[in-house]
Amino acid sequence: MKNLPLLHWHSMFMGVALLASGRSKDARKRNGACIVSPDNKISGVGYNGLPRGCDDNDEQYWQDDDTDPLNSRHSYIVHAEQNAILNCTTLPLHGSTIYATQYPCPKCVQSIIQVGIKRVVYLDKKTHQERINGASEKMLADAGVEIASLQELHPESADWSGELAQFIENSTDKKTTS
């Protein structure tokens, strides 16, 4: 009998990103990220949330008026990719891969490129953000950073990750209703 792992590496690392997303307090969209060295060791994990010291119960941080930076959660939230980089336990990150539950925005891509991450694997992509995604794609291509959807890279891992994401979302829904 041959001993085989239950999970593919892609499933494991996207699973860690998804589990991290469960720590986010952003009810609109919970995201997670996991950075992995070339030899498959986790270097950092993060989720989208407020900076340390900011009160999660302050409603102003969670407002959705994007026309007013003072009342837009986008002014305050640290994205999962940035948190994963900031939470790194191992440096440098040259040649690493970042697994992200969401296609990275241009600000996150800037950080990804600057620390030397060479591959981005994402689970979901907001297709309605075509221009924002285009800016990210341009920078990644120009910097020679590979980007791939988990679905393209390893469909079985994408299916498993989709089931885990649904489980986490259902768990979160139950928590807020009880």
Side-chain angles (χ1 to χ4, degrees):
M1 186 167 115
K2 193 173 185 180
N3 293 327
L4 297 172
L6 294 175
L7 295 176
H8 188 277
W9 285 117
H10 294 305
S11 297
M12 180 175 150
F13 298 134
M14 189 60 76
V16 169
L18 284 161
L19 289 171
S21 75
R23 291 292 310 153
S24 174
K25 295 176 185 97
D26 186 348
R28 300 250 329 183
K29 182 63 178 164
R30 290 175 169 83
N31 288 310
C34 176
I35 300 172
V36 181
S37 68
D39 60 345
N40 292 325
K41 292 188 176 42
I42 295 173
S43 302
V45 176
Y47 57 87
N48 59 321
L50 295 177
R52 286 185 181 101
C54 294
D55 183 0
D56 287 318
N57 296 312
D58 183 338
E59 291 184 22
Q60 186 171 6
Y61 287 131
W62 305 104
Q63 299 301 309
D64 278 322
D65 183 0
D66 289 339
T67 64
D68 179 4
L70 190 60
N71 292 307
S72 171
R73 74 187 209 291
H74 297 291
S75 295
Y76 302 110
I77 291 179
V78 180
H79 288 190
E81 299 91 336
Q82 292 172 320
N83 260 333
I85 290 167
L86 293 169
N87 291 334
C88 272
T89 59
T90 308
L91 293 173
L93 297 176
H94 299 289
S96 293
T97 297
I98 188 166
Y99 288 81
T101 58
Q102 187 72 43
Y103 192 87
C105 74
K107 285 290 186 193
C108 290
V109 165
Q110 291 168 359
S111 296
I112 288 166
I113 292 168
Q114 285 299 97
V115 297
I117 292 172
K118 284 299 177 193
R119 183 166 70 157
V120 176
V121 178
Y122 66 92
L123 188 58
D124 294 317
K125 186 176 188 179
K126 293 180 181 176
T127 54
H128 69 278
Q129 293 187 342
E130 185 178 322
R131 303 290 286 170
I132 291 171
N133 293 341
S136 292
E137 288 168 12
K138 177 177 177 25
M139 285 188 285
L140 291 166
D142 289 350
V145 177
E146 176 191 341
I147 186 153
S149 76
L150 187 58
Q151 183 65 47
E152 293 168 348
L153 201 57
H154 197 257
E156 187 178 300
S157 292
D159 293 344
W160 182 87
S161 296
E163 289 176 26
L164 179 58
Q166 193 62 49
F167 174 80
I168 292 168
E169 189 174 313
N170 290 340
S171 297
T172 304
D173 290 344
K174 289 175 188 173
K175 185 179 178 183
T176 57
T177 58
S178 28

